[in-house]
């Protein structure tokens, strides 16, 4: 960044916007891809040393890191991953962009549902990573003890950022902005800080899906039927049946399935699933073009300066504190 626009952005982060003049510069985009590749290798080495996990660094690093909470919908991402595994089992030779899903999360000690979702993700990880149909194409990795020092390794390596909370539930969120500043491309709902990010990025550089906050409320008022939603989508039905009957380790997650089907699906996972799958397909079709993927990454970095604390504090000083 310093080579391209000078050091001014370190004090005035809005100056990152100057990067946009390099949007079509193939040399700059190639260098950006190279740097991202180094960062992916660095994270992969850390995963190998600490957890003995061999990451496929040729795959897209698709990341969801945040506190584990039902409204943040890590479970919906797990459902999508199980669906992708089903697709690969049905057609092992399909044209599939390799991807490694990386989770990092902590849950409150008494939060039983959140603990079960972590357990499910680890079961799914073991299942997929041992599945011949997924070899070289699909991986799942749960980073243990996610914390700042781990985020410092992970965020520069992230290529896709999962910001998929139920619309109307996320007050703000900051991880999404940190991932944006590190050049990850966001797939998300119109919720929390995603709203401001979308106003900077638009449809060309960010991938939105799902119900809006007013639509969530309207669906609830009109009588949302989770069972009918699941029955109408064979992909979804198949995923839930697998979670119900148990993955390769034999563990059943019938309690989580039951909370969706018979507990009201409070956070609209089933309602948003089809839109999420479609948006993922659109995202991964777009990023087949490596230059276009790098261009989106560059634009995300360029538009992220407005979210820096330096800018916010300076505006407080000038407009509110008058100092």
């Amino acid at each position: 960044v310093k080579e391209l626009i000078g050091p001014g952005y370190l004090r005035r982060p809005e100056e990152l916007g100057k990067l946009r003049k390099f949007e079509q510069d193939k040399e700059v985009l190639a260098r950006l891809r190279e740097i991202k590749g180094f960062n992916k290798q660095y994270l992969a080495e850390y995963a190998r040393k600490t957890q003995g996990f061999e990451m496929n660094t040729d795959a897209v690093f698709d990341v969801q890191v945040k506190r584990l909470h039902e409204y943040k919908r890590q479970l919906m991402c797990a459902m999508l991953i199980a669906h992708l595994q089903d697709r690969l089992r049905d057609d092992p030779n399909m044209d599939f962009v390799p991807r490694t899903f990386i989770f990092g999360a902590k849950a409150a000690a008494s939060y039983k549902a959140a603990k079960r979702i972590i357990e499910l993700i680890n079961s799914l990880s073991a299942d997929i990573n041992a599945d011949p149909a997924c070899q070289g194409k699909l991986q799942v990795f749960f980073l243990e003890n996610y914390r700042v020092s781990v985020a410092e390794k992970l965020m520069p390596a992230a290529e896709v950022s999962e910001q998929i909370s139920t619309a109307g539930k996320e007050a703000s969120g900051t991880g999404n902005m940190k991932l944006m500043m590190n050049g990850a491309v966001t797939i998300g709902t119109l919720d929390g800080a995603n709203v401001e990010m979308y106003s900077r990025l638009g449809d060309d550089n960010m991938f939105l899906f799902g119900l809006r906050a007013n639509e969530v409320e309207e669906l609830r008022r009109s009588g949302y039927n989770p069972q009918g939603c699941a029955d109408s989508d064979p992909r979804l039905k198949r995923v839930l049946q697998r979670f119900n009957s148990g993955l390769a380790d034999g563990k059943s997650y019938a309690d989580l399935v039951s909370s969706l089907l018979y507990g009201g699906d409070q956070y609209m996972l089933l309602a948003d699933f089809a839109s999420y799958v479609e948006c993922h397909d659109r995202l991964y079709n777009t990023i087949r073009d490596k230059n276009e993927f790098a261009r989106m990454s560059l634009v995300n970095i360029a538009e992220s300066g407005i979210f820096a604390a330096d800018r916010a504090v300076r505006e407080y000083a000038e407009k509110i504190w008058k100092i």
Side-chain angles (χ1 to χ4, degrees), residues 29-217:
L29 298 180
R31 177 73 176 130
L32 189 60
R33 287 203 307 272
E34 184 184 24
I35 293 166
K36 185 62 79 172
F38 288 141
N39 291 332
K40 288 169 70 176
Q41 290 286 352
Y42 185 52
L43 178 66
E45 284 169 27
Y46 173 78
R48 186 166 52 248
K49 283 178 187 170
T50 57
Q51 291 178 239
F53 187 86
E54 294 289 338
M55 277 189 186
N56 177 11
T57 53
D58 292 328
V60 174
F61 280 12
D62 193 314
V63 170
Q64 190 177 17
V65 287
K66 52 187 74 235
R67 183 168 290 281
L68 201 306
H69 196 296
E70 286 167 283
Y71 81 79
K72 294 180 187 286
R73 302 202 292 191
Q74 286 94 341
L75 179 55
M76 188 168 72
C77 189
M79 288 157 57
L80 168 89
I81 295 166
H83 165 64
L84 293 174
Q85 183 185 15
D86 286 340
R87 274 196 209 171
L88 287 168
R89 283 176 168 175
D90 292 345
D91 183 7
N93 298 316
M94 71 179 288
D95 185 14
F96 188 87
V97 178
R99 58 206 81 172
T100 295
F101 285 89
I102 303 167
F103 292 88
K106 292 184 180 181
S110 60
Y111 197 164
K112 187 181 175 186
K115 298 281 190 185
R116 286 289 284 158
I117 292 166
I118 291 173
E119 199 175 351
L120 167 66
I121 292 167
N122 279 297
S123 287
L124 187 62
S125 173
D127 191 313
I128 284 173
N129 298 337
D131 187 341
C134 298
Q135 291 304 302
K137 295 176 182 176
L138 183 62
Q139 280 185 315
V140 183
F141 177 55
F142 199 101
L143 260 172
E144 292 175 358
N145 195 17
Y146 182 62
R147 57 201 187 278
V148 171
S149 58
V150 174
E152 288 171 342
K153 299 174 183 69
L154 174 64
M155 290 192 170
E159 293 175 284
V160 170
S161 168
E162 300 273 348
Q163 304 298 331
I164 60 175
S165 55
T166 313
K169 292 293 180 184
E170 186 76 81
S172 174
T174 55
N176 50 0
M177 297 179 248
K178 292 166 190 156
L179 284 157
M180 175 191 183
M181 189 170 272
N182 280 278
V185 176
T186 298
I187 178 169
T189 50
L190 206 57
D191 193 38
N194 286 356
V195 175
E196 286 81 11
M197 285 166 55
Y198 180 65
S199 72
R200 310 288 303 184
L201 295 168
D203 289 323
D204 290 339
N205 304 295
M206 186 172 175
F207 291 78
L208 285 184
F209 73 92
L211 298 166
R212 306 299 197 250
N214 63 311
E215 293 169 333
V216 168
E217 292 308 315

Side-chain angles (χ1 to χ4, degrees), residues 23 29 32-33 36 40 58-62 97-98 157-161 183-186 204-205 207 283-301:
E23 253 183 271
L29 298 180
L32 189 60
R33 287 203 307 272
K36 185 62 79 172
K40 288 169 70 176
D58 292 328
V60 174
F61 280 12
D62 193 314
V97 178
E159 293 175 284
V160 170
S161 168
V185 176
T186 298
D204 290 339
N205 304 295
F207 291 78
L283 166 61
Y284 275 86
N285 280 331
T286 303
I287 64 181
R288 287 174 189 278
D289 180 340
K290 290 184 178 178
N291 257 353
E292 174 60 11
F293 194 17
R295 186 202 64 76
M296 288 191 291
S297 181
L298 183 80
V299 171
N300 271 267
I301 297 166

